[in-house]
Amino acid sequence: MTYLVNQNTGPNAIDRITVLFSKLPGIGKKTASRLAYYLLDTDRSFSAALAMELTGLHESIRRCSHCGSYTESDPCPVCRDPERDKKLLCVVEKAQDVRVIEEAKEYRGLFHVLGGLITPLEGIGPGDLSIPALAERIAKEGVREIILALNPTIEGDTTALYIQKFLKEKLPSAQVEITRLASGLPVGGDLEYTDRLTLSRSFRGRVRL
């Protein structure tokens, strides 16, 4: 999606940058305005460095061709780490979840990013997610356990059930155990905002599906 701000939509640059900031998740109009004025009050070099990093973000960061996470090098550091357990695969909704789980320092396997959850109301179906690629990795890499680290929401539950059914049909002879993070994660919550201790306990107490 491309965001363009017409020079004539606001009386000055402050209004235009406020409009752009307010499009960021979790940023309202008041917060966006405070950010704009903060940039004006701070050193000009900070704004220049921020602009440079934002401009080069898409050129520097790409998807890992193996797991789908964001990385500056392909494959990502996790996928090329020889110390990781290659038989253990953690399935997450989005790339941000990889960082959250890594910061908890409880999990030492590999990851697979789905790229979303099954959400019919938003037009997102199984075909829009990297579920077939997940089956390919399980078959090719000899994965013994996949952990469904999906948010405990209706969409997360629907996606988990679909993956379970899909893998049983696609890989009927595969000796792979399917587990999900244990209780402790709030129902309807978001993995991204879960504290490290709760996340660690959820991994240790994961349940078989």
Side-chain angles (χ1 to χ4, degrees):
M1 183 180 295
T2 302
Y3 290 109
L4 296 176
V5 178
N6 192 309
Q7 296 289 324
N8 298 319
T9 58
N12 55 44
I14 296 178
D15 295 310
R16 295 195 295 273
I17 195 66
T18 298
V19 168
L20 288 175
F21 278 142
S22 66
K23 293 182 182 295
L24 296 172
I27 302 295
K29 185 173 291 186
K30 288 185 178 180
T31 301
S33 179
R34 285 198 294 269
L35 290 172
Y37 279 101
Y38 173 81
L39 290 177
L40 284 174
D41 292 335
T42 194
D43 190 273
R44 182 188 293 265
S45 62
F46 176 81
S47 296
L50 177 62
M52 183 175 67
E53 291 297 334
L54 288 173
T55 301
L57 186 62
H58 286 283
E59 284 70 32
S60 301
I61 304 297
R62 70 205 74 175
R63 291 278 188 181
C64 174
S65 59
H66 201 61
C67 71
S69 182
Y70 286 122
T71 179
E72 283 190 316
S73 57
D74 191 14
C76 69
V78 173
C79 288
R80 65 171 184 264
D81 185 353
E83 300 299 320
R84 310 292 295 212
D85 185 350
K86 305 290 195 272
K87 304 299 181 182
L88 191 59
L89 196 59
C90 182
V91 179
V92 297
E93 172 192 349
K94 52 188 182 295
Q96 297 96 303
D97 296 334
V98 174
R99 179 183 290 271
V100 172
I101 293 172
E102 282 294 278
E103 289 177 348
K105 300 185 183 303
E106 177 69 29
Y107 178 72
R108 292 299 300 168
L110 298 179
F111 292 92
H112 185 85
V113 180
L114 291 176
L117 296 175
I118 297 174
T119 314
L121 292 178
E122 296 180 11
I124 302 175
D128 299 307
L129 310 180
S130 61
I131 297 176
L134 172 62
E136 291 178 9
R137 289 187 65 184
I138 292 173
K140 184 182 297 183
E141 300 171 21
V143 175
R144 294 304 179 195
E145 180 185 354
I146 65 168
I147 304 170
L148 300 179
L150 305 178
N151 292 326
T153 59
I154 294 176
E155 294 79 11
D157 292 344
T158 300
T159 305
L161 288 173
Y162 180 86
I163 290 175
Q164 186 179 9
K165 180 180 178 182
F166 180 86
L167 293 179
K168 285 183 178 179
E169 294 177 352
K170 194 74 174 178
L171 304 171
S173 61
Q175 299 296 314
V176 57
E177 184 177 10
I178 303 175
T179 60
R180 194 166 183 191
L181 297 188
S183 59
L185 296 178
V187 175
D190 195 314
L191 193 70
E192 185 176 355
Y193 302 110
T194 304
D195 64 272
R196 296 181 185 180
L197 180 58
T198 298
L199 194 57
S200 295
R201 288 174 175 171
S202 295
F203 264 99
R204 290 195 296 270
R206 58 185 181 274
V207 294
R208 181 181 299 176
L209 295 179

